[in-house]
Amino acid sequence: MASGTSHFPEKVQGFDRNAAMVCFRTINQAEYEQNHAEFKIIYDFHSSPFGDYLVGVTNTDKAVAFLTFVKEGNEEGLANLRKCWPLSELVEVDDNETSQIMQTVFSSDTVANNSLRLLLMGTEFQMKVWQCLLDIPKGTSITYEQVARNINNPKAVRAVGNAVMKNKIAYLVPCHRVKGKSGSNKYKWGAEMKDAILSYEKQE
DNA sequence: GAGACCAGCAGGG
DNA sequence: CCCTGCTGGTCTC
């Protein structure tokens, strides 16, 4: 935490903040390929109100780089993590190393939430979409069309759907807060999960 | 570079 | 409800 009056400095060791006060850092594919040795990822499984999930965190600055909900077998989530960060060394750790970070994720303590850091990798377009998602207030939802307008690309509605789907950090990048205009409600882990997360957020 | 794929949307049966 | 045309970014040859 920086000195001074602001609780939330604009920059924290190379991380930016968006309107929702989430800390994030962005890299593109080329930067990742050049410096992939720096992006060693430690991972572990945890539980949430919505089931078990797999989380991956950079070992240096402890930025969340990956989060997926897992079903029975853990292999699918792990394969997904490898696919997202193919050049990174992946190290499974005992729960202590990541649980300190993760116990804040599903907490209603906003100060704790704001201490989280995210590492986003994708194209310029995907970054715009994901940053737009981070600005959606908790418990509310908007449409793909509105997201497209917000990033000044009003016709790219369908492309927004694509980008949302490719988000690597479930829940923290709130893809569950985007809905179809005419009630369509698709989600990687099922529409029920999407609704469950949204109503959970509204309760807080 | 072409062609297919989509968690979209509007419009018409 | 399903089908069709239009759409733009990404992925796969």
Side-chain angles (χ1 to χ4, degrees):
Chain A
M1 206 64 62
S3 59
T5 53
S6 173
H7 220 50
F8 304 110
E10 292 301 312
K11 290 257 185 191
V12 181
Q13 293 170 11
F15 286 78
D16 294 318
R17 285 190 186 279
N18 72 338
M21 305 301 260
V22 175
C23 254
F24 64 89
R25 175 181 172 191
T26 61
I27 60 169
N28 61 34
Q29 184 86 29
E31 286 167 333
Y32 175 59
E33 283 169 12
Q34 267 181 8
N35 308 311
H36 65 269
E38 294 173 25
F39 296 100
K40 184 171 161 182
I41 289 173
I42 60 179
Y43 68 90
D44 194 16
F45 295 89
H46 293 274
S47 303
S48 80
F50 315 106
D52 293 340
Y53 63 95
L54 166 64
V55 64
V57 176
T58 58
N59 75 318
T60 50
D61 44 26
K62 302 288 187 282
V64 179
F66 182 86
L67 197 162
T68 189
F69 292 103
V70 295
K71 292 155 195 166
E72 291 115 60
N74 294 333
E75 283 99 23
E76 197 184 330
L78 212 46
N80 204 346
L81 171 58
R82 282 210 190 87
K83 207 171 161 188
C84 286
W85 299 97
L87 306 175
S88 290
E89 186 185 346
L90 305 180
V91 183
E92 182 163 19
V93 291
D94 286 337
D95 60 350
N96 274 351
E97 283 213 57
T98 50
S99 64
Q100 273 202 335
I101 311 166
M102 298 322 291
Q103 69 190 1
T104 65
V105 169
F106 294 94
S107 147
S108 57
D109 181 346
T110 51
V111 174
N113 286 344
N114 288 339
S115 70
L116 280 169
R117 299 166 181 190
L118 310 183
L119 175 63
L120 307 174
M121 177 171 68
T123 64
E124 246 181 71
F125 180 82
Q126 287 166 341
M127 294 303 181
K128 279 195 230 166
V129 172
W130 297 340
Q131 286 171 30
C132 178
L133 300 196
L134 290 171
D135 283 331
I136 308 172
K138 212 174 197 178
T140 67
S141 60
I142 67 175
T143 65
Y144 294 95
E145 198 177 36
Q146 281 174 289
V147 174
R149 276 207 301 270
N150 287 357
I151 61 174
N152 290 320
N153 202 341
K155 282 190 241 174
V157 184
R158 197 153 193 182
V160 166
N162 271 338
V164 169
M165 186 171 47
K166 284 181 188 123
N167 159 44
K168 301 172 180 60
I169 311 178
Y171 189 81
L172 292 176
V173 177
C175 36
H176 54 279
R177 296 181 197 150
V178 194
K179 292 183 160 183
K181 191 174 194 179
S182 43
S184 73
N185 199 16
K186 302 191 179 173
Y187 194 54
K188 204 189 254 181
W189 298 277
E192 312 82 24
M193 173 90 100
K194 196 167 179 174
D195 286 334
I197 296 176
L198 265 177
S199 48
Y200 171 84
E201 287 186 344
K202 278 176 195 161
Q203 274 175 27
E204 287 183 349

